[in-house]
């Protein structure tokens, strides 16, 4: 009996991951993707490069995550299903990615009238 319950749970979980992934994680370009004069490409870097397996890139000192669908955000299936919100996972060790994440998070949390990229031009 426990195996039947586990199999049923795994089946339901797989269905929920597919449903939530399609509804919450699939990127569709909108006007916000092309803010700040970036008309030619999505500022969220979609489509992502398809990567068959995750690996460490020593040249950039970064972890490159597996990506099977170029238009889906990187996600954790448990966070996705249990919290039911979109999210984008990144491995940020240092360098430009860490700095960009720091500015993004600061902007997002403080919701300043003057954006970070505008402040930086004043420096």
């Amino acid at each position: 009996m426990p195996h039947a319950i586990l199999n049923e749970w795994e089946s339901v979980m797989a269905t929920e991951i597919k449903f939530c992934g399609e509804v919450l994680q699939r990127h569709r370009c909108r006007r916000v993707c092309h803010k700040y004069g970036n008309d030619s490409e999505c500022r969220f870097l979609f489509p992502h490069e398809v990567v068959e397996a995750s690996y460490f890139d020593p040249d950039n000192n970064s972890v490159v995550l597996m990506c099977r669908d170029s238009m889906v955000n990187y996600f954790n299936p448990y966070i996705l299903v249990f919290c039911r919100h979109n999210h984008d996972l990144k491995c940020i060790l240092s360098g430009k990615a860490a700095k960009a994440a720091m500015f993004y998070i600061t902007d997002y949390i403080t919701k300043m009238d003057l954006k970070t990229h505008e402040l930086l031009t004043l420096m």
Side-chain angles (χ1 to χ4, degrees):
M1 190 66 156
H3 291 294
I5 293 171
L6 183 59
N7 288 340
E8 181 182 353
W9 186 88
E10 288 174 345
S11 175
V12 169
M13 184 68 172
T15 301
E16 288 296 306
I17 291 168
K18 288 177 186 175
F19 172 76
C20 291
E22 205 48 52
V23 171
L24 300 170
Q25 293 298 115
R26 180 164 298 282
H27 180 76
R28 291 164 189 83
C29 273
R30 297 181 178 97
R31 285 189 348 194
V32 71
C33 297
H34 304 285
K35 284 171 62 172
Y36 314 122
N38 188 16
D39 296 328
S40 62
E41 55 189 43
C42 177
R43 74 182 177 114
F44 301 110
L45 305 177
F46 280 95
H48 294 306
E49 180 182 347
V50 173
V51 177
E52 296 300 321
S54 298
Y55 64 93
F56 178 75
D57 181 353
D59 296 333
N60 296 326
N61 195 32
S62 63
V63 174
V64 178
L65 298 174
M66 177 178 64
C67 176
R68 293 183 180 153
D69 187 325
S70 65
M71 296 305 286
V72 174
N73 272 329
Y74 302 106
F75 67 92
N76 176 293
Y78 299 102
I79 294 172
L80 180 64
V81 171
F82 298 134
C83 295
R84 294 199 179 283
H85 64 78
N86 71 318
H87 58 281
D88 187 3
L89 295 181
K90 298 233 186 302
C91 181
I92 302 171
L93 301 174
S94 64
K96 288 182 182 179
K99 195 179 298 182
M102 178 187 65
F103 284 126
Y104 174 80
I105 292 166
T106 302
D107 276 354
Y108 193 84
I109 290 171
T110 59
K111 296 286 186 181
M112 302 179 332
D113 289 335
L114 192 60
K115 293 294 179 191
T116 303
H117 73 277
E118 293 169 333
L119 286 172
L120 291 175
T121 61
L122 300 174
M123 296 179 156

